[in-house]
Amino acid sequence: MTNAASSYNIALGTSALNSATQTYSIGIGYQALYSASYGQDNIGVGNNTLNNTQSNYNIAIGESSLRYLTNAVSNISIGYNSQATAAQRWTHINLYATRWWFCHENS
């Protein structure tokens, strides 16, 4: 995290929150919230999550999840590349998986 205008953030990973102007945000993973500007209360876990966001109150979990999200509020996206190209979203929940596995054991 190199931007002095950011405050109260947590960055873990190479270039996480690198040039971001965020407050109260968490970026975990390579370039998580990398160039995120004008936002607050965002959480990105995974490489390139919320990479270019200008948004508030979003959660992205999984590589490239919500990568190009701009002008959006209150989104949750979980899974590899989920909603990576979404631009403007308000209050959406998206789950993406290439395979779903469920296991039930009878006793």
Side-chain angles (χ1 to χ4, degrees):
M1 187 166 50
T2 60
N3 192 333
S6 294
S7 56
Y8 306 106
N9 295 309
I10 298 171
L12 181 62
T14 303
S15 299
L17 285 157
N18 187 60
S19 58
T21 308
Q22 291 276 312
T23 55
Y24 306 109
S25 293
I26 300 170
I28 300 174
Y30 174 75
Q31 292 188 347
L33 286 101
Y34 175 74
S35 59
S37 58
Y38 312 109
Q40 66 179 31
D41 297 304
N42 290 302
I43 300 171
V45 179
N47 298 340
N48 295 304
T49 53
L50 287 164
N51 199 323
N52 296 302
T53 194
Q54 297 175 1
S55 307
N56 301 317
Y57 316 115
N58 297 293
I59 300 171
I61 301 172
E63 183 174 342
S64 297
S65 181
L66 294 173
R67 184 174 185 172
Y68 297 109
L69 186 70
T70 58
N71 303 320
V73 177
S74 301
N75 293 282
I76 299 171
S77 191
I78 301 171
Y80 169 77
N81 217 27
S82 60
Q83 295 293 309
T85 60
Q88 297 180 342
R89 299 270 182 200
W90 291 270
T91 316
H92 281 81
I93 297 173
N94 181 64
L95 302 173
Y96 176 78
T98 53
R99 293 187 179 117
W100 291 95
W101 295 93
F102 296 96
C103 180
H104 177 71
E105 190 173 301
N106 292 326
S107 312

